[in-house]
Amino acid sequence: MKTPVEPKLNREQRRVVEHTTGPMLVVAGAGTGKTRVIVERINRLISQGTPPKRILALTFTEKAAAEMLDRSNELADDYYLDLPIMTFNSFGESLLRRHGTDVGLGRNFVLLGESAQIVFMQERLDDLGLEYFAPISRPDSLLGDLRDYFSKLKQLVITPHIYREFVGSMPLGDNAEKLEKSKNKELASAYETYTKLCHSNGVIDYDDQIYGVIELFRKRPNVLKQVQESYDYVMVDEFQDTNLMQSTLVDMLVGKSQNLLVVGDDDQSIYGFRGATLANILDFKKRYSEAKEVTLIENYRSTKQILCSAYKLIGANSPNRLEDKLNIDKQLKTSKSGQEPSQHFFETQNEELGWIATDIENRIKSGTPAGDIAVLARRNATVRLLDDLLTDRGVRHVVAGQKYELYEQPIVRMLLESLRTVVDPSSSVSLFHTLTGPLFGIHPGDLSELLASSRRENETLFKAIESSSSVKAKKALELIGSWRENLGLVSVGQLAYQILDSSGLKGKLFEDAKSDATAAMAVMRLSELFDTLKEFEQIAGSPSAVSYVEALPALIAAGNSGEDGTLDLSGDNVNILTVHKAKGLEWPIVYIADCTEKSFPLTEGFGGLKLPEALKEQYYSEADEHIPEERRLMYVAMTRAKDELLLTLSCRHSSQTPRKPSRFLAEAFDAMNVVNHSPVQAKVQTVELFKPKLPDKVQIPTKIMNGEQVSLTVSQVDDYLRCPLNFYYKHVLNAPEEPSPSRDYGTIMHKLIEDINRGLMAGEQIVAEDLEAKLRIEWPKSGYSSARQRERALKQGLLTLEQIIRRTLVNPEVPIAVEEPFRISLDDINLLVRGQFDAVLPDGDGVEIRDYKTSTTVDTPERAKNRAQSSDQLTLYALAWQVLHDEIPKRVSLDFIDTGMRGSIAKTQRGIDGAKNRLGAVANGIRNNDFVPGKQHDFCIHPEIVSSL
């Protein structure tokens, strides 16, 4: 073996490389060569006689592990086949394959991917015993949340036993505390059941690759001792990003020797959303009291001006920093000097991003290599805007690491719809999407009359096409029929391949992918989908397309997020990426875009199931709070710049509400070069994002537009305001809608409330048994994945009805009108609006207009009032009442019948005038065929694969 050449290391780096005995904490600031010291230390240990296989180095990504291994081999001029440099998860899975039999887990266990995990849970949904978490429409829609919740528990090494004991200690005071305890008792039971089901079925999930090893070591100390004795040295890169589960594994591995070296920087901990906790690195010396510490502060990347600003910013996170806890100096040093960072202020975001694009163009024209430039953003939406702008201007660039949802990709949605079409001949919705998509390319307008005919005759679209003269549509049905013949003979993956192949789409995509980036991306997404189909076939009780389609709603609800790895960072192009993706990278010139409150720092998200605070607080430190992590993220962004740092912000985004400058700007800079760009200088054309290509317009039905007069229902107005493109497909094309148990539930409950209110007006007594019988008779039978789910949903419906009856008996409110229709003409904007008031009730010398809603999420008075304040429908009702009665109703209200919450507000003339202005915009939009996608575009599917399809 060739003796490695001694590298040029600074004094502190050399201390790390030469350390051989006992624990060590290396606090390595940005740009100080942290990975280098690990590689150098590995090679030094090997050169001194340590067998490579006895050195374990753990990282977070396969890319980092491969890079570290390559650098070790390059430095040593040799190739260590048995050097274990790997990710936490790869290491954990290898241990389970080797020792799993010691706890009854065979070496041939199955690792559940995201899709397979959801399928596994769905097929055992009844075993989980969900009652509290069983919504009316689809209980399996919460499987993604349950999966994530179980993952949080495992990442904190909370066993089912620990969770069960915690639930037992929860207070039982008022009704709220009793319900909270009941909820957590159900979660604890489901968690325990899930872990047992996994073990008995020989499967593990992603977290089990580490959590399962911890359980193995705890149950089998003999195995733990064998593994401990396998390694003389353990090293961990990016230790600040470990979660409790990973750090627990590390602590168990090192054993008595404590030959552990961890490298990290608490100021660069940015993965709290993955469960990382700063307590691991902040408290390292509490766990390893004999640990030596080395601080690397010699920065080889940035100018002193950039580093000074970054240090001032991160100081705001004190005292929850290693600098304070260990009394060390973490201010990065450099001999490199340059210009001060600059701040650029704009009136609108379009002007801001347009200026960035123009400035980049000018730099490249002046000779700056495109690869020297990067634009960083906190939000994916900002990255997409910049991508479109630079594409429009022809600037060479790449976008790295964009997040996407697999099931939302156009090509994937198209193939899923075709599978639904094959499985369910009665689904007019799926057939419509399949025929109008790239498989057959039939114009939606050509099907509109057949759709109308099928509705009139109360038959499926399939039947309407069979009896029509449409040659193209009939030919399509023949091919679909051939697929259906193989339905019970092949697996879902085989059927999906057959659909792509026999339709000719596969051949066209593969050919176009040679020269077309969009087609190439579609092929990649299809490959990912087929990977999930393999997972399904591996874990499902039946691998058929029928079983898959039944599982599909749960899979889509749970999501399957990916990261775009097809566009790698390039040294020859401008790089655009989120700050998280920029970790560990550097560029001479860095722009940080959209430095405003709500963008950077981003508003904290509150989605999914949350751990009880009393349980969570045992495992988290103050340093893990949201704003400190956002501040660390800005620190990471700033320290990516080598020579020049430019921060931009704008006062107004899509909303007219002004944006405040990010608090981080004031924290980082006492005084800086501020450039206030006037609107005239920075004006840039508005960029429209992700606008699906609309088919040629069909004639708008005369019931909606007759000449210049537009006639709409209140719900149609609401649909247009939410998304004009949804309105187009739903009301112009009459595209069929998927059956929805939750929508049927709303309709049923409205009828029952109407019965109750009419009875009150007539002075009749409420007969609960009659109402319950009506509910049972009209309860929808379709849309549920099992009979038990339907029964649970019915039980919830009966409970809601019981609560409505009880509230009515305690406080009977007699309406003066029930389901009263109205029709108003707004001549100045040539618009007719139709609708009906659910209930009109007396309110002193005026009236209250009440609208009933079904929602289990609006469970507080504040949420109810917020919904009422943001409701366009309530404003339209107030407008209609004023037109009809020459007065504004005293109140308009939303009554959420499932929770008993009611939001009431008083409308003003100003608000009503604003609604009239919006109505005018709606009418003009319909007249002008303006059907662009809105923020809530979700009704129809518009797959665009390649432009020639």
Side-chain angles (χ1 to χ4, degrees):
M1 181 186 299
K2 179 180 176 181
T3 302
V5 178
E6 283 296 311
K8 293 181 179 179
L9 300 168
N10 63 40
R11 185 169 61 89
E12 296 305 309
Q13 288 176 329
R14 189 173 296 280
R15 281 186 60 199
V16 178
V17 173
E18 294 176 352
H19 177 72
T20 57
T21 306
M24 173 175 275
L25 169 63
V26 182
V27 184
T32 59
K34 65 174 183 58
T35 303
R36 180 186 178 189
V37 296
I38 295 179
V39 172
E40 300 283 4
R41 183 171 187 255
I42 289 173
N43 281 271
R44 183 179 179 87
L45 289 171
I46 294 174
S47 68
Q48 292 177 344
T50 302
K53 67 180 181 179
R54 299 193 64 80
I55 301 171
L56 174 64
L58 297 174
T59 70
F60 281 87
T61 66
E62 296 289 351
K63 181 179 179 181
E67 180 184 352
M68 195 178 294
L69 185 60
D70 289 343
R71 288 173 65 174
S72 290
N73 292 328
E74 182 181 356
L75 186 65
D77 195 24
D78 200 349
Y79 198 84
Y80 306 132
L81 293 173
D82 53 354
L83 178 59
I85 299 178
M86 59 186 77
T87 66
F88 277 95
N89 287 75
S90 296
F91 175 68
E93 184 176 347
S94 69
L95 288 179
L96 288 178
R97 296 284 181 197
R98 200 179 317 152
H99 301 288
T101 51
D102 287 77
V103 286
L105 183 66
R107 63 181 301 160
N108 295 321
F109 60 79
V110 174
L111 174 61
L112 299 175
E114 283 189 346
S115 298
Q117 191 176 359
I118 294 301
V119 173
F120 180 82
M121 293 172 70
Q122 187 192 37
E123 291 195 341
R124 295 155 182 83
L125 183 60
D126 288 344
D127 295 326
L128 297 179
L130 302 178
E131 294 293 341
Y132 183 98
F133 293 99
I136 291 170
S137 55
R138 294 196 63 90
D140 53 5
S141 65
L142 287 176
L143 290 180
D145 290 326
L146 284 175
R147 173 195 63 195
D148 296 342
Y149 192 76
F150 296 163
S151 176
K152 292 175 187 175
L153 291 169
K154 289 181 179 180
Q155 287 175 8
L156 293 173
V157 201
I158 298 174
T159 64
H161 175 72
I162 293 173
Y163 193 14
R164 193 169 57 247
E165 285 198 334
F166 168 79
V167 173
S169 68
M170 292 179 72
L172 266 177
D174 57 21
N175 288 335
E177 288 182 339
K178 291 177 181 177
L179 186 59
E180 187 67 15
K181 182 165 185 170
S182 174
K183 179 183 80 171
N184 279 277
K185 184 177 180 181
E186 180 173 307
L187 285 169
S189 175
Y191 177 45
E192 183 172 21
T193 300
Y194 169 73
T195 56
K196 289 179 178 178
L197 287 170
C198 285
H199 194 273
S200 62
N201 284 274
V203 300
I204 67 170
D205 59 31
Y206 183 77
D207 294 295
D208 284 331
Q209 290 176 300
I210 303 173
Y211 177 86
V213 174
I214 294 172
E215 291 287 277
L216 166 68
F217 286 168
R218 285 175 171 173
K219 292 178 180 177
R220 299 290 184 260
N222 56 319
V223 174
L224 172 59
K225 185 178 180 181
Q226 291 176 33
V227 176
Q228 287 174 339
E229 292 175 348
S230 300
Y231 302 105
D232 295 327
Y233 298 96
V234 178
M235 304 180 214
V236 182
D237 192 16
E238 303 283 11
F239 191 68
Q240 77 279 351
D241 292 326
T242 54
N243 57 38
L244 184 60
M245 179 173 67
Q246 291 159 336
S247 67
T248 300
L249 175 62
V250 170
D251 291 342
M252 299 178 87
L253 286 172
V254 295
K256 294 179 181 179
S257 72
Q258 294 205 333
N259 279 341
L260 169 65
L261 182 139
V262 300
V263 182
D265 180 12
D266 57 305
D267 292 334
Q268 295 187 78
S269 177
I270 59 174
Y271 293 111
F273 64 93
R274 295 180 183 170
T277 173
L278 263 177
N280 288 338
I281 192 168
L282 294 180
D283 298 336
F284 183 81
K285 293 201 70 174
K286 290 182 180 179
R287 302 201 309 279
Y288 297 89
S289 57
E290 302 300 318
K292 296 178 181 178
E293 65 188 53
V294 176
T295 306
L296 304 182
I297 58 174
E298 187 68 30
N299 180 277
Y300 299 96
R301 175 188 300 157
S302 306
T303 66
K304 63 179 63 177
Q305 288 79 6
I306 292 172
L307 295 178
C308 180
S309 299
Y311 181 70
K312 186 172 183 296
L313 167 76
I314 205 63
N317 272 355
S318 293
N320 295 309
R321 298 176 59 232
L322 281 174
E323 190 168 47
D324 305 284
K325 292 184 176 295
L326 301 182
N327 193 27
I328 58 177
D329 179 11
K330 287 194 63 189
Q331 183 164 9
L332 300 177
K333 311 295 183 184
T334 183
S335 58
K336 182 178 177 181
S337 186
Q339 57 185 294
E340 292 288 341
S342 60
Q343 175 181 333
H344 299 261
F345 178 82
F346 301 85
E347 179 64 23
T348 69
Q349 188 179 42
N350 290 326
E351 294 164 2
E352 174 192 354
L353 302 185
W355 177 84
I356 292 175
T358 300
D359 198 54
I360 290 173
E361 278 186 295
N362 293 337
R363 288 176 184 271
I364 294 174
K365 289 176 182 177
S366 300
T368 301
D372 284 0
I373 303 170
V375 188
L376 310 184
R378 175 66 181 90
R379 301 166 63 237
N380 281 308
T382 310
V383 171
R384 289 193 291 266
L385 285 165
L386 286 162
D387 178 27
D388 278 4
L389 263 176
L390 294 180
T391 299
D392 187 54
R393 295 179 178 222
V395 177
R396 298 194 320 274
H397 68 283
V398 292
V399 179
Q402 279 292 87
K403 289 286 186 183
Y404 65 89
E405 267 296 326
L406 178 63
Y407 298 117
E408 292 179 2
Q409 301 305 298
I411 185 66
V412 171
R413 295 171 70 172
M414 178 278 301
L415 188 54
L416 296 180
E417 283 298 332
S418 67
L419 288 171
R420 285 192 185 104
T421 299
V422 174
V423 168
D424 185 4
S426 66
S427 175
S428 297
V429 179
S430 297
L431 180 59
F432 175 87
H433 295 325
T434 300
L435 295 178
T436 57
L439 280 176
F440 299 106
I442 298 176
H443 192 289
D446 295 341
L447 295 179
S448 59
E449 180 54 38
L450 291 175
L451 280 169
S453 172
S454 68
R455 286 195 175 96
R456 286 195 302 268
E457 301 298 327
N458 195 27
E459 63 181 7
T460 64
L461 178 59
F462 191 94
K463 291 291 185 183
I465 293 174
E466 279 189 325
S467 58
S468 74
S469 59
S470 175
V471 176
K472 190 173 182 180
K474 285 184 173 180
K475 190 171 181 181
L477 292 189
E478 290 179 8
L479 186 55
I480 292 171
S482 70
W483 300 334
R484 192 167 288 137
E485 289 175 359
N486 290 326
L487 193 57
L489 305 176
V490 298
S491 71
V492 60
Q494 292 170 326
L495 180 61
Y497 182 86
Q498 185 182 88
I499 290 171
L500 288 174
D501 189 36
S502 61
S503 67
L505 181 59
K506 178 181 76 73
K508 181 166 182 54
L509 275 177
F510 282 23
E511 180 63 30
D512 290 346
K514 297 175 182 178
S515 57
D516 186 287
T518 307
M521 184 70 72
V523 172
M524 293 176 197
R525 296 294 175 260
L526 281 175
S527 176
E528 293 172 41
L529 176 65
F530 275 88
D531 286 340
T532 69
L533 295 180
K534 287 179 183 177
E535 287 184 13
F536 175 84
E537 293 178 359
Q538 189 177 29
I539 206 68
S542 168
S544 69
V546 175
S547 297
Y548 181 75
V549 169
E550 288 179 353
L552 196 52
L555 292 172
I556 293 174
N560 192 316
S561 60
E563 186 177 289
D564 191 352
T566 60
L567 298 176
D568 293 329
L569 296 175
S570 168
D572 299 323
N573 295 279
V574 176
N575 291 278
I576 307 174
L577 60 167
T578 63
V579 183
H580 280 100
K581 296 294 109 185
K583 178 86 175 291
L585 303 173
E586 60 186 44
W587 297 269
I589 302 166
V590 170
Y591 299 80
I592 305 177
D594 195 8
C595 298
T596 60
E597 293 290 313
K598 296 186 178 180
S599 288
F600 208 165
L602 195 66
T603 304
E604 186 174 10
F606 295 97
L609 296 172
K610 298 295 181 183
L611 293 174
E613 286 300 321
L615 179 62
K616 178 181 174 181
E617 66 186 12
Q618 302 174 35
Y619 301 94
Y620 285 87
S621 69
E622 291 182 17
D624 295 319
E625 295 298 323
H626 175 68
I627 291 300
E629 176 156 320
E630 290 286 304
R631 188 174 288 112
R632 292 191 293 269
L633 196 58
M634 176 62 85
Y635 176 82
V636 167
M638 293 173 66
T639 53
R640 299 311 94 195
K642 297 168 70 174
D643 304 318
E644 191 174 352
L645 176 64
L646 305 93
L647 301 98
T648 69
L649 67 155
S650 49
C651 181
R652 299 185 189 279
H653 289 196
S654 57
S655 164
Q656 290 304 304
T657 304
R659 288 287 187 105
K660 294 180 180 180
S662 169
R663 69 192 74 184
F664 301 149
L665 297 178
E667 293 172 354
F669 308 104
D670 291 322
M672 64 181 296
N673 181 18
V674 179
V675 182
N676 194 342
H677 297 259
S678 72
V680 174
Q681 292 173 321
K683 198 69 179 173
V684 66
Q685 184 179 2
T686 301
V687 179
E688 293 186 38
L689 294 181
F690 304 110
K691 180 178 180 180
K693 183 181 178 183
L694 279 173
D696 297 333
K697 302 294 188 300
V698 299
Q699 182 66 38
I700 295 177
T702 54
K703 64 181 180 181
I704 292 179
M705 190 172 74
N706 191 356
E708 286 298 304
Q709 186 177 65
V710 176
S711 179
L712 300 170
T713 65
V714 170
S715 62
Q716 286 174 332
V717 170
D718 193 52
D719 284 342
Y720 190 95
L721 289 171
R722 291 172 183 270
C723 177
L725 187 56
N726 279 354
F727 177 93
Y728 175 72
Y729 273 83
K730 188 174 181 180
H731 301 296
V732 177
L733 287 184
N734 286 315
E737 291 187 73
E738 199 77 60
S740 168
S742 59
R743 188 169 56 243
D744 293 342
Y745 167 72
T747 301
I748 294 170
M749 299 309 295
H750 265 79
K751 289 180 180 178
L752 293 173
I753 291 173
E754 179 184 353
D755 290 346
I756 292 172
N757 281 335
R758 291 195 184 281
L760 290 172
M761 290 178 65
E764 297 173 353
Q765 185 176 358
I766 296 176
V767 182
E769 292 78 7
D770 292 346
L771 294 170
E772 290 176 4
K774 186 174 183 179
L775 177 63
R776 290 181 183 278
I777 291 171
E778 297 187 5
W779 195 258
K781 294 180 173 59
S782 62
Y784 299 99
S785 58
S786 71
R788 183 172 177 181
Q789 288 183 20
R790 180 181 181 275
E791 286 302 312
R792 286 177 176 169
L794 175 58
K795 182 179 178 181
Q796 176 62 48
L798 290 168
L799 179 61
T800 297
L801 177 60
E802 180 184 337
Q803 292 170 346
I804 293 171
I805 294 173
R806 187 185 304 117
R807 289 196 297 265
T808 304
L809 292 175
V810 171
N811 181 29
E813 298 179 275
V814 181
I816 58 176
V818 176
E819 299 296 331
E820 180 176 290
F822 64 81
R823 184 174 185 271
I824 59 173
S825 177
L826 304 174
D827 296 334
D828 52 339
I829 57 175
N830 209 357
L831 174 66
L832 289 174
V833 179
R834 310 182 309 279
Q836 59 186 26
F837 304 120
D838 284 357
V840 181
L841 297 102
D843 189 355
D845 56 352
V847 298
E848 174 196 347
I849 296 175
R850 188 173 298 174
D851 196 49
Y852 297 102
K853 298 291 184 184
T854 52
S855 172
T856 56
T857 61
V858 182
D859 52 4
T860 66
E862 293 77 16
R863 288 179 179 175
K865 188 159 188 176
N866 288 339
R867 286 282 295 272
Q869 288 173 334
S870 62
S871 171
D872 285 313
Q873 284 194 4
L874 287 186
T875 311
L876 292 181
Y877 290 146
L879 169 62
W881 189 267
Q882 183 186 43
V883 171
L884 293 170
H885 301 280
D886 198 28
E887 67 175 9
I888 299 175
K890 207 166 186 182
R891 284 188 298 168
V892 285
S893 306
L894 291 182
D895 191 331
F896 295 91
I897 61 176
D898 293 292
T899 60
M901 295 295 111
R902 185 179 301 158
S904 297
I905 56 173
K907 286 293 180 182
T908 63
Q909 188 61 53
R910 181 180 177 182
I912 291 175
D913 290 342
K916 193 171 180 181
N917 290 335
R918 290 195 295 277
L919 285 174
V922 170
N924 286 330
I926 292 172
R927 294 188 190 100
N928 297 327
N929 277 321
D930 186 7
F931 299 113
V932 298
K935 291 184 178 180
Q936 299 184 36
H937 176 50
D938 56 11
F939 176 77
C940 202
I941 298 173
H942 318 285
E944 287 188 292
I945 313 307
V946 289
S947 58
S948 57
L949 292 180

